[in-house]
Amino acid sequence: MTSDRFAPAGSGSVPDVVGLARVVAQQRAEMDRLREQAATTVVVERAKGVVMGLAGCTADAAEEVLDQRAKAARRTLLEECWITLGELTPAPARDHGAAPRPPADTGAPASAVPSADGAPEPFVAPDDVADALSHLGRALVHVDTHQALAACLLDHLAPELDAESVMIYVRRSGGGLELAGHAGIDKGLAARWRHVPPFSGMAVVDALRAGEPRWLEDFSRDSSRYLLIGEPPERWQSRVWLPLRAGDGSDVCIGVLRGRPGAFTERDRTHLRGVVRLCAGRLRSFTSSTVPLHEAEADAVQSLFAALPVPALMLTPVTSSSGDVEDFRVDAATTQAADLLGVSAGDLTGRRLREIRPDLTDLPVWRGCLDTLAGGGPYESEPFAHQETVDGALELATYSVRVTRLEDALVVTWLRHASSDRQEQRLAELQRLGNIGWANWNLSRDEASWSAQVFAILDRDPADGPVRLDGLPELALPEDRPALRAAVEALLREGRPFDAPFRVRGGRGVRHLRLVAEVVADSHGTPFDVHGVVQDLTARRRAELALVESERAILTQHDVLQSERVLVARLQHALLPLPDKVVDLSGLRAEVAYLPAQAGIHVGGDWFSAVELPDGGALFVVGDVAGHGVDAVATMAQLRFTAKGMVSTGSSLTGALSRLNSLLLHSRDAHGTATMVIARYHPADRRLVWAQAGHPPPLLLRDGEATYLRRPRGMLLGATTAPYFEETEHRLEPGDRLLLFTDGLVERAPENIDVGLTRLADAAAAHPEDAPGSLGTLLDVMLVDERRDDVCVLDIRVPKEM
């Protein structure tokens, strides 16, 4: 028999117990130190990652940058890391996919806190404030909720600034504010002030809108300006609301409330600015548009997601100051979802979705999340391919994403499609895109089965079931039933396959269909199964009919236009006969050329007139009526004969143009507008008097030099009721050559008409031939391409010897 021995409670046992307690205390202290070091390392590594991403440097270089900044600003490395994380704020006009701006580093030895307008507001923290901020930076490592942050700030600020309470508000998606954390106030007061609408008259709302602190240091004055928080508000005689922006764009406002009156000293303000700057980095890891789940609720959600056998995420929206959703925070994730996103489950929870997938905003699922959050119902993506590793080998799998709303959050799940599912889906897509469906009739069991697309094509309710093969012709229009019935009977009787078109009438009108069917026979040759395909050819049939009708209309229109062209050409030739040789008028030789357009089938309204007047002079006219066809030719005839008659009876050239303008304006038979150049030649003194109405001037060739006559003022005929015309005169010399022409001779699209006028002058100067028929040589040089307009030229020559 044995028994335990107990040392006597003498003096020798006390050192052993004390030593054991000392070892336990050391181990606990070491554990606390290791926890502190691990938490601090997480913050430092995140800040290093930010610097690496922005500067594109290595981890060692990033740590050196942070260390240099901390020394230059007389901060600890941990403080500098919190500030770096807090200043990771998106630029206002930046695209969703752009990288965030790096924190400003002025290199100044003193710290620089960004003010609301973006300008640096320099301050130098006293030594005691710097020590307090360093202590706060270490304390923030253990803060992971708004409530914990409020308690931490109150512990920090109570002895430093006589703070009695701290309140933290976050902006909700609707624009209102919600109390996310508080310390120093009771639950009843917190419940009454949990929600603050986005109305004016609240200091916290005013601070967030302005982006500047609101220092409430005179209670009587402040109570007249704002609705002050408190039951009663006199409990806090002075307070300050400090707005800050977390790196994800969520707006946060921290309130520090004091029971004593009086202003915040410059030291207090410097201290509070430093506090806000440190808190921005901490808030980045858990700030969102809604209050986070309570710890017990969060643990329950995580436990639920840990047990789910499918890839799934729970997302909370993160909003900007304007209320727009800028990102989503991952509140819970399954291991399968982490694998799909290429990260570990531990690294996924608490992170922003766009940090994990920067290209997310360019994908349809992003819009699906926004629509679902806005109440648009569940979203389901199109199937997509994803390469994954299965048993050490790469495999291509097909997934689709489904997004559903759960109160203010979203639940995202991935559905993996099996091979058979993919084939079924592809077959359904093929039938839908090709507007084609399959049908099967089992003759031995008298059963039929159709694909969903056949029911859609035949406009038949699937609840009514498929139709027997011999009953299918009854669905066709009466005139198509005999042919379809004969084809079905031949298939059943002789096993002859068929391809039969037929029509049906349904809710969408008459549809043109096609049925292709074949028989499967047993070993004795007896048909026992029929396979068929039904295709909707309505769109193609309508297109064919429309094409035939269009071709018929084109041919008819072409025949009409050709007939019109022949008619107009004959009419034009009757009204405007062309001389077949050079004409002598009043001592001048005149040659005429008229060339119709080659492009198009209409005849234009270009015309000329060259006649000898009763007084022995000569009248020369070249004109161009706008448009083509019968109307243009009729207007041309009116202008030609009217102008000749008026000048022959003694009317001046300008008077004739004015009357022709009135003719176009007031005559029902007149057509549009016209241009014209009209000239009268006096042989006694070789004087040429001429006027124009919106027409190119005549070209004069003298002694090998080509110049255009100075153009008198004149307006387009038919353009205005108050036209203005001038006439001018020019003396011709023996050997002169004068060209009157329409714009078809010089115009070439898309160049300016001045280029064509220069080309005509150069060509005329280069071909000064005087023999009859030389006009043709000039036309060959000028008209090298297809003519889009009619060309009319009047070539007038003054003999060298008169």
Side-chain angles (χ1 to χ4, degrees):
M1 172 180 242
T2 61
S3 63
D4 293 334
R5 294 186 177 184
F6 294 93
S11 60
S13 64
V14 174
D16 295 336
V17 174
V18 172
L20 181 60
R22 184 181 298 112
V23 171
V24 172
Q26 289 175 349
Q27 289 178 342
R28 288 179 176 174
E30 180 64 17
M31 289 294 295
D32 292 340
R33 187 189 67 81
L34 291 176
R35 291 192 185 98
E36 181 86 12
Q37 182 179 0
T40 302
T41 300
V42 171
V43 178
V44 174
E45 291 301 319
R46 282 191 176 183
K48 286 168 56 180
V50 169
V51 176
M52 291 169 61
L54 296 175
C57 61
T58 64
D60 293 339
E63 185 173 5
E64 181 66 22
V65 169
L66 292 171
D67 189 60
Q68 291 178 0
R69 289 180 181 174
K71 291 179 180 178
R74 295 191 296 175
R75 291 190 289 261
T76 65
L77 177 62
L78 185 58
E79 288 181 87
E80 185 62 37
C81 292
W82 283 129
I83 292 172
T84 299
L85 293 173
E87 291 183 347
L88 187 62
T89 304
R94 179 172 61 85
D95 293 337
H96 288 301
R101 295 180 300 177
D105 184 11
T106 61
S111 177
V113 178
S115 62
D117 59 0
E121 182 180 332
F123 75 97
V124 178
D127 292 339
D128 56 341
V129 172
D131 292 340
L133 293 176
S134 175
H135 178 74
L136 176 62
R138 293 192 298 272
L140 289 176
V141 169
H142 306 288
V143 172
D144 57 359
T145 65
H146 292 87
Q147 190 68 20
L149 177 61
C152 177
L153 291 179
L154 184 58
D155 291 341
H156 174 79
L157 296 175
E160 299 291 337
L161 282 82
D162 295 331
E164 292 187 359
S165 303
V166 172
M167 304 178 75
I168 301 177
Y169 278 96
V170 299
R171 190 189 300 273
R172 292 176 59 87
S173 58
L177 307 183
E178 185 165 357
L179 184 62
H182 59 85
I185 63 175
D186 57 68
K187 294 183 178 179
L189 180 63
R192 284 190 291 274
W193 290 96
R194 180 163 298 278
H195 301 287
V196 175
F199 301 146
S200 300
M202 295 291 297
V204 58
V205 175
D206 190 17
L208 276 177
R209 285 179 176 172
E212 297 177 349
R214 287 295 176 259
W215 305 92
L216 309 183
E217 301 164 319
D218 187 334
F219 182 81
S220 60
R221 184 187 63 182
D222 297 332
S223 60
S224 62
R225 297 173 54 201
Y226 298 114
L227 175 62
L228 299 179
I229 295 175
E231 298 293 342
E234 294 84 357
R235 172 182 172 182
W236 296 297
Q237 291 291 311
S238 60
R239 62 191 79 189
V240 60
W241 291 101
L242 302 161
L244 69 153
R245 293 203 55 162
D248 55 17
S250 304
D251 285 346
V252 183
C253 199
I254 298 177
V256 179
L257 301 90
R258 304 189 304 183
R260 65 176 177 85
F264 291 86
T265 66
E266 187 60 33
R267 175 189 176 279
D268 294 340
R269 296 194 178 203
T270 300
H271 192 169
L272 288 170
R273 293 190 186 104
V275 168
V276 167
R277 205 174 185 199
L278 291 179
C279 289
R282 176 72 277 183
L283 283 166
R284 175 172 171 77
S285 64
F286 57 82
T287 301
S288 70
S289 61
T290 58
V291 178
L293 297 171
H294 294 296
E295 187 172 348
E297 296 174 348
D299 292 342
V301 171
Q302 289 288 359
S303 300
L304 174 62
F305 271 69
L308 291 176
V310 297
L313 296 176
M314 184 173 180
L315 305 177
T316 299
V318 176
T319 60
S320 65
S321 58
S322 61
D324 297 329
V325 176
E326 288 190 343
D327 208 338
F328 291 91
R329 188 191 67 227
V330 180
D331 284 339
T334 63
T335 303
Q336 297 91 331
D339 293 340
L340 280 174
L341 295 174
V343 295
S344 64
D347 293 338
L348 193 58
T349 305
R351 294 180 64 184
R352 300 298 183 265
L353 203 55
R354 287 176 57 196
E355 293 179 8
I356 305 166
R357 287 292 304 271
D359 62 336
L360 186 66
T361 54
D362 297 328
L363 302 178
V365 69
W366 175 263
R367 174 49 57 187
C369 289
L370 297 181
D371 292 343
T372 302
L373 188 64
Y379 164 80
E380 187 163 350
S381 74
E382 294 292 331
F384 61 90
H386 174 74
Q387 194 174 45
E388 56 188 14
T389 303
V390 179
D391 297 332
L394 291 178
E395 181 178 303
L396 196 63
T398 301
Y399 286 89
S400 60
V401 176
R402 181 175 175 81
V403 182
T404 55
R405 182 173 176 175
L406 181 63
E407 294 184 352
D408 292 334
L410 296 178
V411 176
V412 181
T413 55
W414 280 262
L415 175 63
R416 193 177 194 273
H417 298 276
S419 178
S420 59
D421 296 337
R422 294 200 301 269
Q423 292 176 359
E424 286 288 337
Q425 185 172 12
R426 289 170 182 170
L427 179 59
E429 292 175 353
L430 177 63
Q431 294 182 74
R432 178 178 55 83
L433 294 175
N435 214 352
I436 189 172
W438 59 265
N440 186 81
W441 291 272
N442 189 294
L443 304 179
S444 60
R445 295 194 302 268
D446 195 19
E447 295 177 352
S449 59
W450 290 356
S451 68
Q453 192 64 26
V454 173
F455 286 99
I457 292 174
L458 293 173
D459 202 11
R460 181 176 176 84
D461 189 348
D464 296 335
V467 177
R468 291 166 49 97
L469 181 59
D470 55 5
L472 196 62
E474 299 303 320
L475 301 179
L477 293 182
E479 52 268 34
D480 294 343
R481 289 174 189 170
L484 182 58
R485 185 178 292 110
V488 171
E489 291 176 352
L491 179 138
L492 295 176
R493 185 176 59 254
E494 305 172 11
R496 184 189 307 167
F498 66 83
D499 184 344
F502 65 100
R503 292 169 296 170
V504 297
R505 186 185 303 276
R508 294 175 292 172
V510 175
R511 314 287 295 174
H512 294 263
L513 308 182
R514 172 193 183 196
L515 174 60
V516 180
E518 66 177 4
V519 167
V520 178
D522 59 15
S523 57
H524 302 290
T526 303
F528 75 91
D529 214 6
V530 176
H531 300 162
V533 174
V534 181
Q535 185 177 13
D536 189 345
L537 303 176
T538 305
R540 188 170 73 180
R541 181 59 177 163
R542 288 174 179 171
E544 292 174 352
L545 293 176
L547 180 60
V548 171
E549 189 64 28
S550 176
E551 291 176 348
R552 184 179 302 158
I554 291 174
L555 292 174
T556 302
Q557 183 69 12
H558 184 270
D559 292 341
V560 171
L561 294 177
Q562 287 288 6
S563 300
E564 181 182 344
R565 179 181 177 87
V566 173
L567 173 63
V568 172
R570 291 177 180 176
L571 179 61
Q572 186 185 51
H573 182 71
L575 299 175
L576 190 67
L578 294 175
D580 55 0
K581 59 181 180 178
V582 176
V583 181
D584 291 326
L585 296 173
S586 304
L588 302 177
R589 296 203 330 261
E591 188 174 353
V592 179
Y594 178 84
L595 301 173
Q598 293 174 319
I601 61 174
H602 287 298
V603 177
D606 290 17
W607 57 280
F608 72 94
S609 185
V611 297
E612 190 167 333
L613 300 175
D615 62 359
L619 175 67
F620 300 102
V621 185
V622 168
D624 186 359
V625 176
H628 298 81
V630 177
D631 293 338
V633 173
T635 302
M636 174 269 291
Q638 281 187 307
L639 295 178
R640 182 171 186 265
F641 293 115
T642 303
K644 184 190 303 183
M646 285 189 293
V647 175
S648 298
T649 56
S651 177
S652 65
L653 301 183
T654 56
L657 291 176
S658 297
R659 292 181 178 85
L660 293 176
N661 183 76
S662 299
L663 175 66
L664 288 179
L665 286 174
H666 304 297
S667 175
R668 290 187 306 171
D669 299 330
H671 179 79
T673 60
T675 66
M676 181 188 300
V677 60
I678 182 170
R680 183 168 185 167
Y681 178 68
H682 300 273
D685 50 4
R686 297 194 302 277
R687 186 165 46 93
L688 183 74
V689 180
W690 69 285
Q692 62 85 27
H695 201 87
L699 176 65
L700 175 66
L701 280 84
R702 176 177 292 173
D703 299 330
E705 183 179 354
T707 57
Y708 289 97
L709 300 184
R710 186 184 63 82
R711 195 165 174 253
R713 294 174 61 186
M715 304 179 67
L716 183 73
L717 295 178
T720 177
T721 57
Y724 183 82
F725 301 105
E726 291 180 350
E727 64 180 31
T728 185
E729 65 178 49
H730 193 86
R731 187 176 300 277
L732 299 180
E733 301 294 338
D736 284 353
R737 183 183 183 185
L738 193 67
L739 292 177
L740 280 64
F741 54 92
T742 57
D743 55 9
L745 181 64
V746 293
E747 282 187 336
R748 289 184 187 175
E751 68 182 18
N752 190 283
I753 192 173
D754 292 339
V755 178
L757 292 173
T758 302
R759 183 168 53 250
L760 175 60
D762 294 341
H767 299 83
E769 294 87 353
D770 192 30
S774 58
L775 178 59
T777 304
L778 179 62
L779 295 179
D780 292 339
V781 174
M782 291 296 297
L783 305 175
V784 294
D785 298 325
E786 183 181 58
R787 294 187 299 279
R788 293 187 162 279
D789 198 1
D790 295 355
V791 175
C792 184
V793 182
L794 192 56
D795 187 2
I796 304 170
R797 297 175 183 266
V798 182
K800 294 182 179 180
E801 297 180 0
M802 298 186 64

